[in-house]
Amino acid sequence: MAEQIFFYFFAALSIVSAFLAVTRKNPVVSVVWLISCMFSLAVIYVILSAFFLAAVQVIVYAGAILMLFVFVIMMLNLKTGMVGQLRNLGLKFVGLIAALLILRQFYSAIKGAGAMTGLPPRAAAGFGEAAAVGKLLYSQYIYPLELMAVLLLVAIVGALVLAGKEQS
Amino acid sequence: MIALQSLLTLSAVLFVIGVCGFITRRNVLIMFMSVELMLNAANLAMLAFARHNASMDPQVVAMFVMALAAAEVAVGLAIIVAVFRRRGTVNIDDLRNLKW
């Protein structure tokens, strides 16, 4: 019961903060709402007994990625006239239509999957904990893991090359 | 007990909010944030299925998605900074040199 209350509360919180994140004019306010959304998703990951992923979500998303956004917004030093959006009604209409179409597809996919099925009441012991995820990462998924390390290295070097000292 | 369908619905709603933000907003930074939102919605669906099928593999995939998002954000924000230095704007409507 408590699980359900937590789930519905944080699901509502994540939807509201996601909506506010994409509609606010000021990017800094958007980032703060997005952080709130990520934290509520981390709580839902805990409810899904993905404990390690919840920790990674807080550390990597809320801690690193969104801080990067804040730093970049700070660096860009946008003037007040520039953060506002154009009043583009046609675009809003297109967005609405696309959203409705995609929602319709998702609805039929979820509906087509069959009757409401509850999650299994208890996960196995150690499910989703750091030890279990780590064992899987370093045995079965060792090559993707190494490739991911290379990708992150390339991303660091690429970011430095792109945004480093301006050469003129 | 939480139904699998309600988790999938939450994931779908978050994804659609991301799509909507990506289409309607003209600020590159907020478009980027919408992409992050879509990645998170996909992760949520993956973790719901992981719990439902009592399988750990989707959790590993979700972990890779997070690493991918980190790499993408680093490069993307570097591109935004470079473009802003040269053009002095983050409005996508002003950056249409490649659009024909």
Side-chain angles (χ1 to χ4, degrees):
Chain A
M1 196 61 216
E3 206 183 43
Q4 250 175 330
I5 295 169
F6 265 88
F7 171 71
Y8 284 112
F9 177 72
F10 282 102
L13 183 63
S14 68
I15 288 175
V16 168
S17 27
F19 181 76
L20 287 171
V22 298
T23 51
R24 294 304 93 186
K25 267 191 182 162
N26 192 337
V28 180
V29 180
S30 281
V31 169
V32 173
W33 280 115
L34 204 58
I35 290 175
S36 147
C37 180
M38 300 296 167
F39 267 111
S40 10
L41 280 178
V43 173
I44 291 173
Y45 290 178
V46 170
I47 293 172
L48 290 173
S49 57
F51 304 110
F52 179 63
L53 265 293
V56 172
Q57 171 90 356
V58 171
I59 296 168
V60 173
Y61 261 112
I65 293 182
L66 294 178
M67 282 310 113
L68 205 60
F69 270 105
V70 173
F71 276 125
V72 167
I73 292 169
M74 199 176 72
M75 232 170 93
L76 295 186
N77 190 20
L78 300 173
K79 307 283 181 300
T80 35
M82 291 159 65
V83 295
Q85 62 191 116
L86 292 174
R87 291 257 168 264
N88 196 336
L89 272 177
L91 213 54
K92 288 213 171 87
F93 187 68
V94 171
L96 197 69
I97 296 291
L100 285 177
L101 283 177
I102 297 170
L103 213 55
R104 168 85 185 69
Q105 285 295 317
F106 275 132
Y107 175 75
S108 51
I110 293 171
K111 184 103 176 156
M116 296 284 268
T117 44
L119 297 176
R122 289 198 87 76
F127 182 83
E129 281 170 14
V133 178
K135 243 178 220 153
L136 211 53
L137 263 180
Y138 281 94
S139 58
Q140 198 182 337
Y141 291 94
I142 183 72
Y143 294 117
L145 183 76
E146 297 295 340
L147 282 177
M148 201 46 83
V150 175
L151 177 74
L152 283 171
L153 180 68
V154 171
I156 295 169
V157 174
L160 279 177
V161 169
L162 282 169
K165 274 223 172 68
E166 208 169 359
Q167 64 275 56
S168 51
Chain B
M1 199 165 58
I2 302 162
L4 176 65
Q5 273 83 353
S6 42
L7 282 158
L8 293 181
T9 309
L10 171 64
S11 161
V13 169
L14 286 178
F15 189 88
V16 167
I17 291 175
V19 170
C20 218
F22 189 80
I23 293 176
T24 53
R25 296 305 303 265
R26 299 289 83 190
N27 187 330
V28 182
L29 287 163
I30 295 185
M31 288 170 80
F32 239 107
M33 285 181 221
S34 309
V35 173
E36 296 303 307
L37 202 57
M38 287 192 264
L39 285 171
N40 263 283
N43 264 354
L44 178 64
M46 211 121 62
L47 291 180
F49 278 116
R51 178 77 170 73
H52 185 250
N53 296 333
S55 156
M56 292 274 297
D57 300 59
Q59 296 203 353
V60 177
V61 178
M63 169 101 193
F64 286 139
V65 172
M66 283 183 192
L68 194 79
E72 174 232 337
V73 162
V75 175
L77 286 178
I79 291 174
I80 291 174
V81 169
V83 167
F84 184 79
R85 273 198 195 133
R86 188 150 298 200
R87 311 288 299 272
T89 179
V90 290
N91 190 330
I92 204 85
D93 286 330
D94 297 338
L95 308 171
R96 47 176 55 186
N97 278 13
L98 284 176
K99 184 181 169 192
W100 254 95

